[in-house]
Amino acid sequence: MNTLKIAIQKSGRLSEKSLELLRDCGIKFPDFKSKLKNTADNFPLEILFLRDDDIPKYVENGIVDIGIIGENEVKEQLRDVTLVRRLGFAKCRLSLAIPREQIYNGNGFFNAKKIATSYPNIVRSYFEDRGVKPEIVEISGSVEIAPSIGLADAVADLVSSGSTLMHNGLAEVEEILRSEAVIIANPALTEQTSSILDSFLFRIQAVMNSRENKYILLNAPNVAIPSITKLLPGMKSPTILPLAEAGWSSIHSVVKESAFWEIIDELKKLGAEGILVIRIEKMVF
Ligand code: PRT
Ligand code: ZN
């Protein structure tokens, strides 16, 4: 039988969220993570657990069909792979940082300076576009200590909270790239494999829709129904059910997580009461 082979980071910042995504897609595996390879019970999927750096290469040469990986790694490695979709987790940025006490005067600062990084290709192309010529020192880990041990004048490193830079006396001065976890695919999948990938992506879309939305129920006086319907259009239009108390209705709809607090204030002003907001498990439009 045909299966879709996926590579996932064995252990690291992408692992847990990648597995959670598979679980939320309803895909079940026996004896998770204790092996290098695993086959799903209820979906034609085989997982390989790999180091993240190796994933683009395995996808390119067809050992696996798809992989979950940081966009930063895809841009650095320049492999022949297709970016299929962004997944909204492991968000970070690749930034340039310099010792805090230095005065920064724009990208020209980096001319003839040594920059330590694990992303030489991305950094080189960033400076080529700006006509600046630094010296790039490639190192594979603990980039942030390079200036303090005299190995470099500056760093280009991944940043999420910014606390690593701060603890090492560095100040972030330019953002080179934004990144998040993505699915990459081999560009020459067979028709059968592509069709399994399509069903997998359909499930992912439903999971991601549900993460971005909440189910909302509230009671409101009937006079407020038209205004509340405008605020809560839902997937098609809200469900409105009469309450036992005359002149009142129960309204059910879906609300974007990002607009949630603003809408709640508006709803209260319109006389809504007993507002319940519930997590959605899956959502198919
Ligand atoms: O062992 P393996 O090779 O598989 O893993 P790895 O150690 O190479 O990678 P890992 O697990 O550290 O990161 C995997 C991916 O997570 C990266 O390629 C990014 O796409 C993404 N990601 C998201 C991050 C961060 N956030 C992040 N903050 N990767 C690394 N960091 C590091 C950064 O390098 C710096 O040392 O965290 C530190 C900065 O964090 P803050 O919060 O202090 O700013
Ligand atoms: Zn790695």
Side-chain angles (χ1 to χ4, degrees):
M1 198 185 71
N2 230 288
T3 56
L4 179 70
K5 295 190 185 70
I6 185 172
I8 283 179
Q9 188 187 25
K10 183 161 171 49
S11 75
R13 288 166 199 268
L14 300 165
S15 317
E16 205 175 300
K17 287 276 167 86
S18 303
L19 293 177
E20 185 183 307
L21 181 66
L22 295 185
R23 276 195 294 268
D24 287 351
C25 285
I27 299 172
K28 294 202 172 78
F29 294 85
D31 196 21
F32 230 121
K33 275 194 116 173
S34 61
K35 301 181 196 160
L36 281 180
K37 200 169 138 185
N38 218 322
T39 307
D41 291 332
N42 57 353
F43 193 81
L45 190 76
E46 224 175 81
I47 311 184
L48 259 72
F49 295 101
L50 301 172
R51 280 201 60 184
D52 71 337
D53 317 56
D54 294 335
I55 292 176
K57 180 173 62 201
Y58 278 60
V59 172
E60 181 184 53
N61 64 22
I63 301 279
V64 292
D65 304 307
I66 62 170
I68 298 182
I69 178 81
E71 212 172 337
N72 48 299
E73 211 55 62
V74 183
K75 296 252 164 71
E76 175 61 24
Q77 294 197 20
L78 300 169
R79 300 266 174 188
D80 184 16
V81 296
T82 311
L83 196 160
V84 177
R85 76 159 294 153
R86 295 192 162 80
L87 296 172
F89 62 86
K91 287 189 177 173
C92 58
R93 51 196 190 270
L94 178 66
S95 288
L96 287 160
I98 64 170
R100 202 164 31 221
E101 61 282 1
Q102 302 243 346
I103 294 164
Y104 184 67
N105 53 4
N107 278 300
F109 172 93
F110 294 101
N111 258 319
K113 293 263 172 44
K114 282 186 184 165
I115 304 177
T117 189
S118 307
Y119 297 92
N121 291 330
I122 300 175
V123 174
R124 205 169 287 123
S125 109
Y126 173 87
F127 283 112
E128 268 168 20
D129 291 348
R130 287 160 180 81
V132 175
K133 293 197 169 69
E135 185 188 328
I136 292 168
V137 183
E138 183 176 352
I139 52 178
S140 57
S142 303
V143 171
E144 64 280 356
I145 63 165
S148 64
I149 60 170
L151 188 66
D153 305 301
V155 303
D157 200 8
L158 296 177
V159 183
S160 43
S161 68
S163 70
T164 303
L165 292 183
M166 208 179 72
H167 283 123
N168 286 280
L170 299 170
E172 189 177 355
V173 291
E174 301 283 351
E175 180 181 296
I176 298 181
L177 170 97
R178 275 182 192 219
S179 175
E180 63 187 89
V182 295
I183 296 187
I184 51 170
N186 180 286
L189 295 181
T190 63
E191 212 172 294
Q192 290 103 317
T193 313
S194 289
S195 127
I196 305 172
L197 175 58
D198 286 344
S199 356
F200 181 48
L201 291 172
F202 177 80
R203 292 187 185 203
I204 290 178
Q205 187 62 50
V207 169
M208 290 189 66
N209 291 341
S210 73
R211 287 178 182 172
E212 284 165 13
N213 291 280
K214 301 272 179 224
Y215 191 75
I216 181 166
L217 300 94
L218 55 88
N219 296 330
N222 287 345
V223 287
I225 291 175
S227 315
I228 293 182
T229 304
K230 269 193 210 135
L231 275 178
L232 296 175
M235 289 168 80
K236 198 168 190 125
S237 68
T239 306
I240 298 171
L241 303 164
L243 286 189
E245 186 175 329
W248 280 76
S249 294
S250 167
I251 301 179
H252 300 203
S253 193
V254 163
V255 63
K256 276 243 173 293
E257 167 100 77
S258 51
F260 174 69
W261 290 109
E262 248 170 72
I263 286 183
I264 292 288
D265 281 344
E266 294 288 311
L267 292 172
K268 277 172 30 198
K269 276 185 216 149
L270 289 166
E273 290 178 3
I275 303 173
L276 298 181
V277 177
I278 298 169
R279 206 178 151 253
I280 298 171
E281 178 105 2
K282 306 280 183 302
M283 192 165 163
V284 178
F285 289 108

